[in-house]
Amino acid sequence: MEFIDVIKMGGPSMYAILAVSIVGLAVVLERIWFYAKSWTNPELLERKLGELLYKGDAEAAASLVREKESSLHRLFRAAIDHWLAPPEALKMLLEQEVRHELYRWEKGLTLLSTVARVTPLLGLLGTVLGIVDVFRSVAESEGPTNMALLASGIWEALLTTVAGLAVAIPAVLCYSWFSSKIDALEESLWRGSDFILREKMLRGRTEHD
């Protein structure tokens, strides 16, 4: 049995599930690409930046935070570009940058969550409609009921439920994995923000002394 034959047997609900699954797949692929581009090793970056700030090499620090377009690089870049700002102003800037990066990472997850919730319902709707159609045909037919035909109709109707679950389960798993990555990123960004503020106060105190 070919894929297109399964789609046709599932009816309109199967086409809806197919369309929604394509949207979900697009979100997953885009998020994987974005996460790979926006993640970096926080310990390594903090150590390198800390050494440059300790040496007072502002030019090298500015070059380091522009080496990659990760979220932590962008956070540190904002801090280095406004290094002369007062600590309170720098803290507010970093908080704003953290919220902005979290928004970038959470983009599309609401749509993926919707896909995970809707596809099982579409599958159930297709199954119910298919079973209704089967029993309507049985009620309208004359003579004894063909059990083989009845079983075949119900089997075809259940295809949409299978399809809905087949799309929803990977969507839920991907959503959970993305959420765990966001939690890790949030911890990394807040720790990076604390690191920058600590370095700011230490360097300022050193310069004052």
Side-chain angles (χ1 to χ4, degrees):
M1 184 181 299
E2 296 184 0
F3 176 74
I4 190 64
D5 295 327
V6 175
I7 297 297
K8 289 179 179 179
M9 282 190 293
S13 293
M14 190 71 85
Y15 287 103
I17 292 172
L18 178 61
V20 171
S21 67
I22 292 173
V23 173
L25 179 61
V27 172
V28 169
L29 294 177
E30 189 276 334
R31 288 291 86 188
I32 290 176
W33 175 81
F34 175 81
Y35 287 11
K37 181 184 70 170
S38 300
W39 177 257
T40 192
N41 187 328
E43 291 82 5
L44 180 61
L45 181 58
E46 286 180 13
R47 185 173 69 251
K48 289 182 178 180
L49 183 58
E51 292 173 355
L52 294 175
L53 293 176
Y54 177 78
K55 296 176 182 177
D57 194 342
E59 183 176 347
S63 176
L64 175 65
V65 297
R66 285 172 169 80
E67 286 182 350
K68 186 179 178 182
E69 283 297 315
S70 76
S71 293
L72 196 58
H73 278 81
R74 286 190 289 266
L75 178 71
F76 288 162
R77 185 185 311 160
I80 297 302
D81 289 346
H82 298 84
W83 189 250
L84 297 180
E88 285 301 318
L90 185 60
K91 181 180 179 181
M92 293 178 61
L93 173 65
L94 292 174
E95 290 175 351
Q96 181 180 4
E97 287 296 320
V98 169
R99 289 193 296 268
H100 179 64
E101 289 301 324
L102 289 175
Y103 172 78
R104 288 163 61 96
W105 277 63
E106 292 170 352
K107 185 179 179 182
L109 292 194
T110 300
L111 182 57
L112 184 60
S113 175
T114 301
V115 169
R117 292 195 303 267
V118 166
T119 46
L121 298 178
L122 288 174
L124 180 60
L125 175 63
T127 295
V128 172
L129 292 176
I131 291 176
V132 168
D133 187 61
V134 168
F135 282 104
R136 180 185 58 81
S137 300
V138 170
E140 293 177 352
S141 65
E142 298 179 358
T145 302
N146 188 328
M147 296 305 296
L149 182 61
L150 179 61
S152 175
I154 294 176
W155 174 79
E156 292 179 5
L158 289 172
L159 285 175
T160 56
T161 295
V162 174
L165 293 174
V167 174
I169 292 173
V172 170
L173 294 175
C174 288
Y175 180 85
S176 298
W177 183 76
F178 290 148
S179 296
S180 69
K181 296 295 288 185
I182 292 174
D183 291 340
L185 172 84
E186 184 175 8
E187 174 63 24
S188 174
L189 290 176
W190 287 120
R191 187 178 64 185
S193 178
D194 293 339
F195 160 79
I196 284 293
L197 292 173
R198 183 175 64 252
E199 290 294 321
K200 170 70 174 178
M201 290 189 295
L202 289 174
R203 300 288 82 78
R205 187 174 302 171
T206 302
E207 293 170 1
H208 183 268
D209 295 341

